[in-house]
Structure formats: C-alpha cells, structure tokens
Amino acid sequence: MTAVPEPAERGDRPPPARFAYDAHTWKEIAHLLANLPVSLAGFVYTVTMLFTGVGLTVTVVGFPLLALGLMGSRLLGRMERARARKLLGVRVEEPSRLPMRGADGFWPQLWMAVKDPVGWRTVLYELIRLPWGIVTFVVTLTGLFVLWPVLPFVVRGLANADRAMVRGLLSPSDELERRIAELESDRGVVVDTAAADLRRIERDLHDGAQARLVNLAMGLGLAKEKLLEDPDAAASMVEEAHGEVKLALQELRDLARGIHPAVLTDRGLDAALSSVASRCTVPVKVTVDLDERPAAAIEGIAYFTVSELLQNVSKHSRARSAAVEVWRSEGRLLIQVWDDGRGGASLDGGTGMRGLADRLGAVDGLFVVESPEGGPTTVTAELPWRDRSGALAEKPGRGGRASKEASVRGRG
C-alpha cells in the first residue's frame, strides 16, 4: 500500500483530485458555493465605501471616511484569509499592522491609512470577486447535478484560481515594505530609550557630582575667609573639601563608566565583562569566545545588557553562583547569563527586563528569559553581528523568531 504523505509534508497543497469525493473536495465545493454571498457582501461594502469616501473628498469628512473604509477592507481581507485557510488550506501570513505610532499627529496617521497598500489590494480583490463568485457558484451548483462524475477536477481548477487570488492580493506586502514598517516602529523605541538615558545622566550629574562640587566651592570659600583668622579651622575645611573632590571624581568615573567604559573601548568585551563580573556580589564565571571584536555599537549593547543582568543577579536572585557566556554563531552575537538563584524572573515582572527586550528588539535582536520558580534562571540575548568595518553579517533565512530561539538555546 502506498503511504499517503502527512499534511505537514505536503504543506498547504491538497491531495490529488479523485473521482471519489473526499473531505478536501467537499471543502472546496463549500468554498466555491459560498463565494457568491460572500463576494456580494464584499462588493456592496467596497463600492459604497469608495463612492462615499471619494465623492466626499471635497469636504472635510471625505478622507476620514475613506480611511475608515480602507481599515474595514483590511478586516474583510482578514476574514477572506481565514475562510481560505479553513476551506482551501491556503496559509497566508497576516499583514503587519499600520505603524500608527510612527506617525506624529492626526493628519499623518490619516494619510498613512489612506495610502495603505494592503487596504487597496483588498479593495481590488473584492471588486473582481463578484463576477468570479457568480461563475464559481453557477458552475459548481450545476456540476453537482450534471457534471458530478468529473466535478472534483472542475472544482480543483476553480479552487486553484481562488488560491492564486488569495496569495496574490491578500498576502502581506513585500519584505522591504514590512521591514520599513518594523523599523519605523523600532525608531520610537530607540528615541525613547535615548531620551531616558539622557535624563538619567542629567539626574546623576545634578544630584551627584554637581551637588558635591557646589559644596566644595562653598567649603573652599569659607576656608579662604578663615585662613587668616583661624588657620586650624581653615585647614579642617580644606581637608573636608579634599574628601569631597575624591568623592566627586569617583562619581564622575562611575558616570563615565555607565556611558561607555574605557576598558570596553581599549580591550573589548572579555576584559569589560570581567570587570563587571568582579563588582557583582555573586561569583561569576565569564567566558568570551570571539575571534574578532564586533562593531562598537553592538559591543556597547552587549556590555550594557550583561551589566544590567548582573545587577539583577546581585539585587534579586539570591544566587550562589552565576555565569556569563558570549559567542558568535551564524552571523549573530549570542549572550547567555545564568544563575542558580530563586528564579521567577519574567518580562512582565518590571521595567528592567522589558527595557532590555525593547532595546534589543530595536536593533533586530532577541531576548529570551527562562526562569521557573525555584530557579535556575537563564537569560539569552541575541544581536546581529556587525564587524568593525560596519558590514552586517549574513542573516539566517526566513525562519522567523522560532529559528532564532532554537539557535540561542543550542548552547545551553
């Protein structure tokens, strides 16, 4: 007996048509018979939306109505994709949402909705579906009574035409358009992160080094006044001022290290992460397996990711030991931070983990947290590899985040 391939092996291709009606043939018949009422409703909505929206564009409400109509067309496209997925086995990815957050103000958002290519392709789909729906309904219904011996083959041809229309008009935009939408969304995250960092630096300078320098200036002023009257008191004030200078210098060094540590620039990730690990309250083993240094921007993100994670280990984990591993795999820089603490860490547990995930996501990175209650905790971060000349290493194929998560867990 010939083995029939499993659905996973066939992908979304139906089995060959046969004279005997099977489940796939009946699903295709149901889809073709439903084409008429579904396409009629979509045609009426689309024509009404177009005539009303375009006709009123001379008024204030015209463009908002057209934008709302195109958003409704997106919903029609989603329902058609679901119907094709259920009855025809066509698996089409959902288009990306409109990046409304990237548009500043009402009018840019309105214009983005009006020029939405996904909405307009759905409009075209609904316009050509009515005559096609009439043809498929009549042929299929007539074939059930007249052409029933060869109907599976006729239905298969009509259904294949439906599959082609769904793939051609209801599929997502091309990869470049999708990538532009993602980058527009990520740009807001990068801007917000940079603004938060600037506010943190300003706060640290104002509350730390600046306040100490003000106290130093006041102390030296008082010492100057008492220099002739009370030399001993003046000497004591100078001594206090000297201590304030040391503390201010230390705070400035810490602030500079938080902006970009000199050891990272001079000696790379291995030395910089070893320095971070030495300040952790938990013994940390650091392993950096890199043949060359990545670009400065990627190196900096990797450093601050590990630094933030080790701070969390010190403050919250109650761990006895921890480990940091950094290596390169298939054009990606992989970071894994492990500790044997109490676990329970998650992206929803606070702003720290979520902030790290947003930062890595803004540069096409990945952030995975595995932390069951009772531990241990393993946090894996993945960044695109860029060499020092600025070239981007070849990325993995279109495997999506699932393939990335598989790659980052391969060294656990």
Side-chain angles (χ1 to χ4, degrees):
M1 181 180 294
T2 304
V4 178
E6 294 295 329
E9 299 175 4
R10 297 194 305 263
D12 59 1
R13 292 180 300 173
R18 299 180 298 171
F19 286 103
Y21 291 14
D22 56 12
H24 289 279
T25 301
W26 284 114
K27 285 183 178 181
E28 290 173 341
I29 291 174
H31 184 275
L32 296 174
L33 291 176
N35 273 349
L36 179 58
V38 172
S39 60
L40 180 61
F43 183 85
V44 171
Y45 169 83
T46 301
V47 170
T48 304
M49 177 268 295
L50 278 179
F51 275 102
T52 305
V54 175
L56 293 176
T57 50
V58 295
T59 66
V60 178
V61 299
F63 280 106
L65 284 177
L66 186 59
L68 289 175
L70 289 171
M71 291 181 180
S73 295
R74 270 182 166 253
L75 294 177
L76 288 178
R78 181 184 301 175
M79 290 187 290
E80 283 294 290
R81 282 187 295 273
R83 187 167 73 99
R85 185 165 51 247
K86 183 70 174 178
L87 298 178
L88 299 182
V90 179
R91 292 168 178 81
V92 176
E93 293 184 8
E94 293 293 328
S96 302
R97 293 184 178 182
L98 287 173
M100 291 298 187
R101 291 185 301 173
D104 186 15
F106 173 75
W107 293 109
Q109 292 179 354
L110 178 65
W111 178 242
M112 186 179 298
V114 169
K115 65 178 185 178
D116 176 25
V118 175
W120 284 110
R121 286 204 308 273
T122 307
V123 167
L124 177 60
Y125 177 86
E126 296 294 347
L127 290 177
I128 66 177
R129 288 291 291 179
L130 181 59
W132 175 251
I134 295 173
V135 170
T136 58
F137 180 84
V138 172
V139 171
T140 305
L141 187 61
T142 305
L144 284 172
F145 299 98
V146 179
L147 303 174
W148 60 266
V150 294
L151 184 60
F153 300 94
V154 176
V155 167
R156 177 56 50 81
L158 296 175
N160 284 340
D162 264 353
R163 291 184 177 96
M165 279 189 279
V166 170
R167 291 192 181 100
L169 294 176
L170 298 183
S171 294
S173 303
D174 58 17
E175 190 63 27
L176 178 59
E177 183 178 325
R178 176 185 289 272
R179 186 64 181 145
I180 289 173
E182 291 177 356
L183 291 175
E184 286 178 345
S185 177
D186 291 342
R187 181 180 59 186
V189 176
V190 174
V191 171
D192 293 341
T193 301
D197 288 340
L198 288 175
R199 288 194 298 270
R200 176 182 59 81
I201 294 171
E202 181 183 6
R203 183 179 65 251
D204 291 344
L205 284 173
H206 183 271
D207 298 340
Q210 180 179 345
R212 292 195 180 279
L213 290 174
V214 170
N215 290 334
L216 173 63
M218 294 176 60
L220 289 176
L222 292 175
K224 181 180 178 182
E225 294 178 359
K226 290 183 174 293
L227 185 60
L228 298 178
E229 300 176 2
D230 191 352
D232 293 337
S236 177
M237 290 179 180
V238 171
E239 184 67 23
E240 292 178 2
H242 185 252
E244 289 289 330
V245 169
K246 290 182 177 180
L247 292 175
L249 287 174
Q250 183 60 42
E251 290 183 355
L252 289 174
R253 289 193 191 99
D254 294 339
L255 182 60
R257 185 184 296 114
I259 298 173
H260 197 84
V263 65
L264 179 63
T265 303
D266 297 338
R267 300 173 57 190
L269 274 175
D270 195 353
L273 296 183
S274 298
S275 177
V276 171
S278 67
R279 297 194 297 271
C280 184
T281 58
V282 175
V284 181
K285 179 183 178 182
V286 177
T287 304
V288 178
D289 184 12
L290 298 176
D291 296 330
E292 57 180 320
R293 294 177 62 179
I298 299 300
E299 201 173 52
I301 295 174
Y303 170 84
F304 288 114
T305 299
V306 174
S307 179
E308 187 77 19
L309 291 174
L310 288 183
Q311 286 186 25
N312 288 341
V313 171
S314 297
K315 295 178 181 178
H316 310 296
S317 71
R318 298 180 184 174
R320 294 185 301 273
S321 62
V324 176
E325 286 189 85
V326 181
W327 72 98
R328 180 182 179 181
S329 175
E330 296 182 358
R332 311 288 287 184
L333 178 65
L334 301 177
I335 305 163
Q336 197 167 77
V337 179
W338 172 92
D339 70 78
D340 59 357
R342 61 180 179 175
S346 68
L347 295 179
D348 301 327
T351 59
M353 289 287 192
R354 173 56 60 186
L356 287 176
D358 290 342
R359 289 193 184 198
L360 268 69
V363 293
D364 198 22
L366 182 67
F367 192 79
V368 179
V369 180
E370 296 180 2
S371 183
E373 290 293 338
T377 297
T378 302
V379 179
T380 308
E382 179 181 341
L383 290 164
W385 179 275
R386 295 180 187 270
D387 58 31
R388 286 273 154 172
S389 63
L392 178 64
E394 183 178 356
K395 292 177 63 177
R398 292 187 61 185
R401 290 187 176 267
S403 66
K404 291 183 181 179
E405 292 186 11
S407 70
V408 298
R409 291 173 181 164
R411 186 157 169 153

